[in-house]
Amino acid sequence: MKQLSDRIKLNNGYEIPCIGYGTWQTPDGDVAVSAVKCAIEAGYRHIDTAAIYGNEKSVGQAIAESDIDRRELFITSKLWNTERGYDKTLRAFEETMTKLGLEYLDLYLIHWPANAKQFENWDALNLDTWRAMIKLYQEGRIKTIGVSNFLPHHLKSLMETDVVPAVNQIEYHPGYLQDEAVTFCKENGILIEAWSPIGAGALLEDATLVKLAEKYQRSVAQICIRWCLQNGTVPLPKSVTPSRIYENTKVFDFELSAEDVAIINRLPACGGSSHPDRVDF
């Protein structure tokens, strides 16, 4: 990868830009509109939102007000947990599309798997949701479909359908590698997207990362984003500060050594507070 708009081919042949701009916790309204427009101006062509973020309308407005051809943009949204199931998924998708003001989505994800803690029929519920997404995909309303926060046992039934998930968006950053999920996905041709690639800011003061940032004359955030890229994942950094939005794109003119990647891989565990099998939302 040499630039922000470089793309990776997914398992259905569709291509996704190698870094996405995340909008989690970005408030709806002027803040979200300005931040997304700034991200597009900075070169991002991959914008990630979700129904539960409450900012789909503002993301759509920013897209409409940008001068970029829609075909150059890769837009993702996600189905929230209260809308699982075949019919509810179809209705929720239409609401998302109305808010975004788009004719199609590039990627639609099941935001969290139903789990055994909440549902006896968790696997069937995930499958019903997935079948609705397959319908939308086969109709051309969505270019690719995938999941978020799924572990291997959540994925297995979906793998037996006509459409294998193209993406699994999971928490992934130094100190939280999710080896089992990453290995399973890579073995089955599912791309890993890394949400919270900077550990929600918790990694910015990590002594090892600070030392490496000094070595490479970069910020800790840039080190984390570059590390995600070199580990074969698509990072989704988030900021509403223009200087940091631009800074997070400057990760293509340096490379971490194999030794330094290994050092980062061995950082002490951190993160993972929302385990997919234990959440109750």
Side-chain angles (χ1 to χ4, degrees):
M1 298 295 130
K2 297 181 179 180
Q3 57 188 354
L4 200 60
S5 58
D6 283 354
R7 296 187 174 230
I8 299 166
K9 187 171 289 187
L10 297 170
N11 60 19
N12 69 342
Y14 203 63
E15 295 184 339
I16 183 171
C18 61
I19 297 181
Y21 175 71
T23 63
W24 179 50
Q25 294 184 328
T26 300
D28 201 34
D30 291 343
V31 172
V33 173
S34 296
V36 173
K37 289 175 73 173
C38 179
I40 293 172
E41 290 169 3
Y44 283 96
R45 296 296 179 263
H46 176 181
I47 309 297
D48 181 273
T49 184
I52 194 63
Y53 297 174
N55 58 22
E56 288 175 315
K57 186 174 181 181
S58 294
V59 170
Q61 180 181 337
I63 293 167
E65 292 178 3
S66 74
D67 295 326
I68 303 300
D69 190 314
R70 168 66 182 96
R71 291 170 295 182
E72 293 185 26
L73 298 174
F74 189 103
I75 310 301
T76 301
S77 194
K78 310 178 195 75
L79 175 87
W80 186 239
N81 302 349
T82 54
E83 307 308 312
R84 297 186 186 105
Y86 190 88
D87 291 333
K88 292 174 74 175
T89 295
L90 296 178
R91 288 195 294 268
F93 173 77
E94 296 300 340
E95 185 174 347
T96 278
M97 297 306 286
T98 297
K99 288 180 178 178
L100 287 170
L102 301 177
E103 294 183 359
Y104 69 91
L105 265 186
D106 297 276
L107 178 63
Y108 197 40
L109 306 177
I110 303 175
H111 206 147
W112 289 86
N115 62 38
K117 177 180 179 179
Q118 293 179 285
F119 306 99
E120 290 184 6
N121 66 334
W122 64 271
D123 196 35
L125 185 53
N126 287 332
L127 267 173
D128 281 346
T129 303
W130 186 244
R131 289 189 180 106
M133 294 178 71
I134 289 176
K135 177 180 186 295
L136 294 164
Y137 168 68
Q138 292 176 338
E139 291 174 348
R141 305 289 307 284
I142 310 167
K143 301 300 183 181
T144 47
I145 52 177
V147 297
S148 182
N149 302 299
F150 274 54
L151 301 176
H153 59 280
H154 303 127
L155 280 163
K156 286 179 180 177
S157 291
L158 276 57
M159 304 290 293
E160 296 173 0
T161 66
D162 293 337
V163 182
V164 173
V167 166
N168 188 11
Q169 185 181 124
I170 61 175
E171 181 181 358
Y172 182 85
H173 52 74
Y176 199 64
L177 307 187
Q178 298 218 57
D179 288 329
E180 183 183 5
V182 170
T183 298
F184 180 89
C185 288
K186 288 186 176 181
E187 288 176 349
N188 288 279
I190 301 170
L191 179 73
I192 293 291
E193 286 188 327
W195 65 257
S196 196
I198 310 166
L203 297 170
L204 295 177
E205 304 300 324
D206 179 88
T208 298
L209 293 174
V210 169
K211 186 176 180 179
L212 287 171
E214 292 172 353
K215 173 182 177 179
Y216 288 93
Q217 296 186 314
R218 302 287 166 163
S219 68
V220 169
Q222 288 171 320
I223 296 295
C224 291
I225 294 166
R226 182 70 206 184
W227 172 85
C228 285
L229 289 172
Q230 290 185 220
N231 277 348
T233 69
V234 171
L236 303 170
K238 175 258 176 181
S239 178
V240 297
T241 305
S243 61
R244 290 177 181 166
I245 290 172
Y246 278 89
E247 178 186 277
N248 289 343
T249 71
K250 308 302 182 183
V251 294
F252 296 97
D253 57 351
F254 77 102
E255 184 172 347
L256 300 169
S257 70
E259 294 78 10
D260 288 336
V261 169
I263 288 170
I264 298 172
N265 288 349
R266 294 193 297 267
L267 285 178
C270 68
S273 59
S274 298
H275 190 284
D277 280 327
R278 296 194 289 268
V279 297
D280 56 7
F281 48 78

